[in-house]
Structures are given as C-alpha cells and as structure tokens.
Amino acid sequence: MPYYSLGKESIEIMEGKRILYVTTEMVPYFPENPMSSQALDLPKIMQSNGADVRIFMPRFGAINERRHQLHEVIRLSGMNMIINDLDQPLIIKVASVPGERLQVYFIDNEEYFKRKDVYGENNTLFSDNDERSIFFAKGILETVKKLNWKPDVVHVMGWMSSLVPLYLKNYYADDPFFQDAKVVVSLFDNAFEGELDKELVNKLAFDNVEADVKQYLENPTHLGMIQASLHYADAVAKGEDVIPEDVKNYINQQGIPLLENCSKEQAKEVYNNFYVEGVLNSN
C-alpha cells in the first residue's frame, strides 16, 4: 500500500471515529522499542486528527503503579472471567500519560500479571501465557462493553494481543455491539522461541471460539498466534521495517492489505488514509 498525501476532507472523516488500541508494551510504562513507541505515538496522532481513542494493555508487575499513578476503577472492576472453567477476577486500573490527553486502561489479575517478569523468566516462557492472553482479550472486550464505548476500529499490537480478533469475531460474533468493528494488526520483529501450552485449543474450545483457527494453534508458536490474529484482520500494518519472514510470507499468501512502515512524521497523513480507505471503507 503506497503512502498518500491527505487533504482536509480525509482528516475530517476521522472526526469522532473510535479507535481501540490494544498493546502489550507502551511508553512510558515500558522502555522504548518499535512497539512501545508506536503504541503511544499512533493514539496521540489520531486523537489530534479528531478520533476518539482508548488504549488497553496488561498491568504487568514490572510497571510501577506508584510512579505512574495507576489507580483502580471500581465501577469497571469486579467482573469474573472464566478461563478454562476457572473464575478469575478482573481488575481494571487507569493512568494518564504525562503531558498528554490520553488515558491508558490496564487489565490486571493477581494470578496472571503480578509477577515482575513480563513474558517469561530464565529464557523460558511462562507456562500460562496462553491463559494470560485469553484473560487479556476477554477482559478488554468486556470492559469496553461496560464503558458502552463501541469501537469502529480495533488495532492490536504484540503477540499477547493476538487473541483479541479471535474473540471479537467469534465469541462476540452475534453481539451487535462489535458487529461493525474493523480489525487492524500491527506486526513487529519480536518473535518468541518455542511454543505456548498445547492445551490452548482446548481452553479456547471452552469458549467455542477456536474452530476457524484451530490449525494455527494446535502448536501455538509465535507464527501460529500471529496467523490466528491475521485470519480476522481487515488490514495489516508493519510496525517496523523488518518483520519475521514466515509472517511476511503468510500475509502475501493470504493477500491481506498491508501498510508498509512509515516514519513518525509521515504517520499523521499515512495512517489517516490507511484507516479511512484501507480499513473503514474495506469490504
């Protein structure tokens, strides 16, 4: 997809459009990297163009709550997410990004997100990363419904966000609240080694959401998680110039509309056009 120069009319089309950003890393709560930087920059840019944005991420134990002034949102907390037939309490916290008119919602749970390490320890993935991903996906979508904030675009970043499109398009397939939401997947060169728990497909089967993507998740590698996400993508954006070769090959095979990586300076116009022409007006 080429870069476009947009006029005032295209920018006005985004006025009031609702974009839900889902990320696993974000500045200032994580060190700078392509994903954490873009997870802050894109919402800022689209908000400046008139879009209404919400940002969700996990409340990893590595995030210092006092320093970043996180506080629990009592009216949104208190729901239980059933994960593999077990009730897990959902806690929602929120913080304002310093110097910005942006709030970030954090999905929290003592069992899944209290630990200080993010994805694993001693070069080994956490054995429950699959359940953490399920909880994250369900927690976000249930919270958005409770906020009564109906998104036009759901833009996900990071492999732990990969199950959000799956739940959006399956678990909530008959829910008019999400019926018209478009899915964008941003890709980064941050693949993990090894596999998640092979029981992932059975845990998803408990929610009746695995059928369309079972082939990708029977051996849940990084590629499999991304393929499951891309299966429901209306469009894909490269978050950096280099992405895993196997992921790139899959996108080419499936013919999914792809936005090449662009600079922060180009993003204001490029992403406006991308959302308007490549996403909101796609079939």
Side-chain angles (χ1 to χ4, degrees):
M1 184 180 291
Y3 296 139
Y4 291 89
S5 177
L6 296 187
K8 184 178 179 181
E9 181 181 356
S10 293
I11 291 176
E12 287 179 345
I13 291 174
M14 290 306 297
E15 185 74 34
K17 292 296 182 183
R18 294 178 168 182
I19 307 176
L20 171 61
Y21 288 98
V22 178
T23 183
T24 48
E25 301 178 19
M26 178 182 168
V27 173
Y29 312 105
F30 268 77
E32 287 192 27
N33 62 51
M35 187 201 311
S36 65
S37 296
Q38 193 169 110
L40 173 62
D41 292 340
L42 274 184
K44 283 171 55 179
I45 289 167
M46 297 315 299
Q47 186 182 71
S48 73
N49 287 343
D52 183 8
V53 306
R54 296 287 187 276
I55 308 166
F56 279 79
M57 66 179 293
R59 206 295 292 177
F60 291 117
I63 298 171
N64 187 308
E65 292 197 18
R66 180 176 295 179
R67 181 189 309 150
H68 296 295
Q69 299 181 15
L70 273 66
H71 62 272
E72 184 176 351
V73 186
I74 303 298
R75 68 184 178 88
L76 297 177
S77 300
M79 292 182 283
N80 274 14
M81 302 290 103
I82 300 176
I83 310 296
N84 197 27
D85 205 21
L86 292 174
D87 277 2
Q88 293 288 358
L90 172 66
I91 300 168
I92 304 298
K93 295 177 179 175
V94 69
S96 297
V97 179
E100 307 293 343
R101 294 183 299 106
L102 286 173
Q103 281 193 322
V104 182
Y105 292 86
F106 294 85
I107 299 294
D108 199 4
N109 171 272
E110 289 287 308
E111 178 71 20
Y112 293 135
F113 297 115
K114 185 177 181 179
R115 63 200 73 162
K116 293 297 182 182
D117 293 292
V118 177
Y119 305 117
E121 57 187 354
N122 301 322
N123 296 318
T124 302
L125 293 169
F126 288 128
S127 61
D128 62 352
N129 273 341
D130 60 327
E131 294 185 10
R132 298 169 89 207
S133 298
I134 293 172
F135 184 89
F136 185 45
K138 293 176 74 171
I140 291 166
L141 297 175
E142 283 297 322
T143 302
V144 169
K145 285 194 68 176
K146 202 165 184 178
L147 285 168
N148 196 30
W149 189 83
K150 187 176 181 180
D152 297 295
V153 177
V154 178
H155 191 151
V156 303
M157 305 179 186
W159 63 263
M160 194 173 275
S161 306
S162 295
L163 298 182
V164 172
L166 173 62
Y167 272 85
L168 183 72
K169 298 299 185 180
N170 278 265
Y171 194 75
Y172 296 96
D174 299 323
D175 191 330
F177 191 85
F178 292 114
Q179 209 159 52
D180 298 324
K182 301 287 189 176
V183 173
V184 177
V185 177
S186 274
L187 298 173
F188 300 89
D189 188 21
N190 63 340
F192 62 78
E193 298 292 332
E195 299 179 358
L196 304 185
D197 188 355
K198 290 183 182 294
E199 289 297 307
L200 173 59
V201 290
N202 295 325
K203 295 169 186 176
L204 293 171
F206 183 83
D207 289 332
N208 297 313
V209 298
E210 95 293 1
D212 290 350
V213 294
K214 185 175 181 180
Q215 59 181 315
Y216 306 131
L217 298 177
E218 287 180 320
N219 295 300
T221 60
H222 176 265
L223 175 61
M225 292 290 284
I226 298 302
Q227 286 174 321
S229 184
L230 294 175
H231 184 82
Y232 301 102
D234 293 285
V236 181
K238 288 175 68 173
E240 53 188 310
D241 291 329
V242 178
I243 60 174
E245 196 66 28
D246 50 9
V247 175
K248 186 166 63 175
N249 292 338
Y250 179 80
I251 293 169
N252 292 336
Q253 291 167 8
Q254 299 301 312
I256 305 169
L258 174 66
L259 176 68
E260 291 292 337
N261 188 32
C262 66
S263 68
K264 184 177 177 179
E265 291 71 30
Q266 292 171 307
K268 184 179 178 71
E269 293 188 350
V270 170
Y271 270 90
N272 257 291
N273 189 73
F274 176 58
Y275 286 128
V276 173
E277 300 300 332
V279 182
L280 291 171
N281 293 331
S282 64
N283 295 324

